Every structure is written in C-alpha cells, then in structure tokens.
Amino acid sequence: AIEVTARSDSSPGVGASPTNLVFEELMKIDIFGLTIEALTEALASKGLKKFRAKQVFQWLYQKSVFDFAAMHNLSKADIALLEEHFTVLPRQITILREQNSSDGMTSKLLLGLPDGNSVETVLMHHDYGYSVCVSSQVGCDMHCAFCASGLKGAVRNLTAPEIIARVYLFNERLRQRNGQASLKEAQQTQQAGAIKQDKQDKQSRPDMVSRVVVMGSGEPMLNFDAVLGALDFLHREDTCFMSYRNMTISTCGIIPGIKRLEEQGKRINRAVSLHAVRSDLRTSLMPVNKGFPFVDVIAAAEAYSQAGGRQVTYEYILLKDKNDSVQDAELLSNYLRYKHASVNLIPANPVPEQGFERPSKAAIERFVKILQKNRISATVRKEMGKDIDAACGQLRAKFAKEQEQK
C-alpha cells in the first residue's frame, strides 16, 4: 500500500499569517502515488465527485501533467478545491542540478525533495527506448569502497511515491519535448498491445520511459516494501503499464531480500553487485560480504533464477590492479560456470574521493576473453554519461561539498 503523506505547496493565500500558512500547507494531502481507489476516496472526502478522480488519475499517470490548473477538463471550482486541499509530489520536487552528456543520450538530475534531502536520477536513451535509473534510499549504508553513494551513509529510505516520481518527471520532460499528443498516443498504443505482448517483452514506446532499473544510491532490499510498491504501481495497466520484465533490481547481496523477491513470483530481473570473488578482497571492497558471503549470495541468486526463469546479471566493476587479473577472471568463471547468469563488466568510473583507477583497454579485453573462453556470457557495459557525473552518488556528493564550502 502507498501511504498518503502531507506535503507543502507554494501557493500562499493573500494576507494570511505565517502561522496559518504553515498550518494550511501541512494539512494538504499529497495524492501522488495513490491508486485510483484511494484517490477516489481522498477526493470524495473533500466534496469532489467520483468521476473527477478518474480524470485526475489520467492526467497524472497517462499524460504526466501535475498542475491542477492544466487539467483542462476540470471545472474552475474543482481545480480550486484540488489546489486548496491537495499537492502533487512532482511539483514539490526541485531540480538542484542538471547534467546532459555531449552525445545527448544521458541526462542526470539531482532532485531536491520536500524535506530538504536530495537524490539523483538518470535518463538513458537506448536504441530500444528510454530507461531510468532510480535510487531506493537517500545515501547508502553499504559503504562500498568504490562508490560515492555511501560516502556519508544512508539518511533514510525513499517512499514509493518518491521512487515513482523520478520516472514521471522524465515522462513529463519527454511529453514536453515531443508534444502531449504523441505521448497520449504512445500510452494508448502500449495499452492496446498488452495482450499481444503477453508472451514477449513489450516494445518500447518512443515518447515515454519503458524500463526502470533500481540501481542508484542505496540498497533496494533494505527498502523492500517501497521498492516493490513502486514497481507494482508502474506495472498497473492504468499507469505506465510497464512489464516486470522491463524492471531490474540490483542488490549488493542481501540474501533475505533475494529470497523474499523470489517468493513474490514476479518476473523482475535480478542484478547482483559482485565485484570480486576473493573473499578478503570483496570484504575490503564491500563490507556486506562479512554478513552475506558472496558464495551464499550466488547460491541465492541462482535459486531466484531457477524459480522464475530469469537470467541473473552479475555486475563486476573493473578496478586497476585490484580485481582485473587473469586469476580473478578464472575464479569468476569457476564460480559462475553452469549458472543461468551473465556478467556485466563495468570499467571503473573514477571516484576521486576513493582513489580507484580504470584498467587499461588491454586489461579489460583480456578479462572478457577469459570469461568467454570459459563459456561465461560477458559484456562490457556501454558507457553512458562518462563526461558527466553519471556514477552513483557523484553529483550528490559534489553538490553537498559545494554547499559545505558556502
């Protein structure tokens, strides 16, 4: 279930006292992320007719319009009631920083949440459509040595609406870029083709996000309910209607979460941040290895794969003179042999705060060839946003440092 939370809005009444304004703003209910049933109930409680909920719902989730005044089939009186009693989270979020890659394929936003915290999100344009990478927490407590996300630990879990909002903020941008009519047409086409796509992944629509990866800051399995709530919402036929097969959840190896996701029986793609197959090295890079040894993580991930028939992707960041040797490649092959798995090799995006370097092109190619020789499916991740702060946590860390220096 997605909870209703109070949010502030920025439309003070003329002549109102500061105290009254604060009280009025706190009394407003944020409706973003509510199901149609919950939205109907919330709007009815303020005197709005039931059919208005369906109209508002369509504006929010099928047209990516978040300003009540822009919902043209609502009466002025109903718009006034909505503005008086409700807020919509995407309108409460501010863009603190924006970076766009020189090739136009990657956009990264640092978003300011209503409580003052900030999170990153990335839009990537592929040949098959648009995907969005979202965080599950503000910061991270996993403290992986090569990652900027955990430099200052985790602040809090994100709510399901906060996760959902990142997808819709980019949908709104795509709507504005391509025109509202094309986005509406894309939504209708996607819904009409649902039955036909039952036995295959849905085709990407050109004007809206078609894939989401929960692979940003934070550990998704430590915020399980909100993450699954967000993905279930995006899967709904009356929202994005996004296939579970177009969703990926990454974990550093929280085994109870892997097992719990298996019990859900949803064909969500599973990615595991492995990064080393020598226990001492993995523990130094990823302290989580102390509680959940990588051998046990691989076993849990393989059980997930066998239960749902979905191949597990093992993410392996290549760090110069750390985990990129011939021995490391052979060990990785041994642990994944006969597993329903693939390896996604990630040449390190240098994190200045940690001092890790990127391997040479020859070292990367050597690693790939060893895996392929051992019949392990392996690819080198296509780099997107290398010329911007695209790695997890980099933009947020840079912004925080700037604020501290002021």
Side-chain angles (χ1 to χ4, degrees), residues 117-185:
N117 283 303
S118 61
V119 291
E120 301 169 343
T121 189
V122 182
L123 176 74
M124 293 160 284
H125 189 185
H126 306 276
D127 54 3
Y128 52 76
Y130 292 98
S131 66
V132 168
C133 180
V134 301
S135 307
S136 55
Q137 298 175 308
V138 178
C140 183
D141 270 339
M142 296 296 97
H143 300 293
C144 298
F146 48 80
C147 182
S149 299
L151 290 174
K152 295 192 174 181
V155 178
R156 67 171 176 84
N157 286 335
L158 293 173
T159 65
E162 287 170 338
I163 296 170
I164 298 164
R166 262 82 65 74
V167 173
Y168 275 97
L169 282 170
F170 278 121
N171 271 347
E172 178 188 33
R173 287 180 155 226
L174 293 172
R175 172 183 63 83
Q176 293 170 346
R177 181 189 305 172
N178 301 302
Q180 182 174 345
S182 62
L183 182 63
K184 182 178 180 181
E185 180 183 352

Side-chain angles (χ1 to χ4, degrees), residues 7-11 28-34 39 55-74 79 82-95 109 111 161-176 180 183 187 207-209 233-234 238-240:
R7 302 283 186 189
S8 64
D9 189 44
S10 54
S11 52
K28 289 188 178 183
I29 295 172
D30 197 284
I31 59 173
F32 191 78
L34 294 182
L39 181 63
Q55 292 175 320
V56 172
F57 197 89
Q58 289 173 338
W59 281 107
L60 293 176
Y61 306 115
Q62 295 177 18
K63 302 177 185 179
S64 301
V65 172
F66 309 119
D67 296 308
F68 295 128
M71 298 178 183
H72 303 307
N73 57 351
L74 304 183
I79 289 173
L82 289 167
E83 291 177 339
E84 179 183 356
H85 296 292
F86 304 105
T87 58
V88 180
L89 179 59
R91 285 289 75 86
Q92 309 306 308
I93 292 174
T94 57
I95 298 176
L109 303 179
L111 304 174
E162 287 170 338
I163 296 170
I164 298 164
R166 262 82 65 74
V167 173
Y168 275 97
L169 282 170
F170 278 121
N171 271 347
E172 178 188 33
R173 287 180 155 226
L174 293 172
R175 172 183 63 83
Q176 293 170 346
Q180 182 174 345
L183 182 63
Q187 177 72 28
D207 303 303
M208 62 192 300
V209 174
F233 190 87
L234 294 172
D238 53 6
T239 61
C240 282

Side-chain angles (χ1 to χ4, degrees), residues 259-277:
K259 292 181 176 179
R260 189 177 172 193
L261 188 60
E262 178 185 335
E263 293 168 357
Q264 296 281 316
K266 296 166 184 174
R267 297 172 70 84
I268 296 172
N269 296 306
R270 163 62 71 195
V272 174
S273 296
L274 191 58
H275 306 311
V277 285

Side-chain angles (χ1 to χ4, degrees), residues 140-151 219 252 273-275 282-289 317 351 354 356:
C140 183
D141 270 339
M142 296 296 97
H143 300 293
C144 298
F146 48 80
C147 182
S149 299
L151 290 174
E219 169 49 56
C252 66
S273 296
L274 191 58
H275 306 311
R282 189 168 192 266
T283 298
S284 67
L285 294 175
M286 304 177 69
V288 70
N289 194 63
I317 190 168
V351 178
Q354 303 295 355
F356 290 112

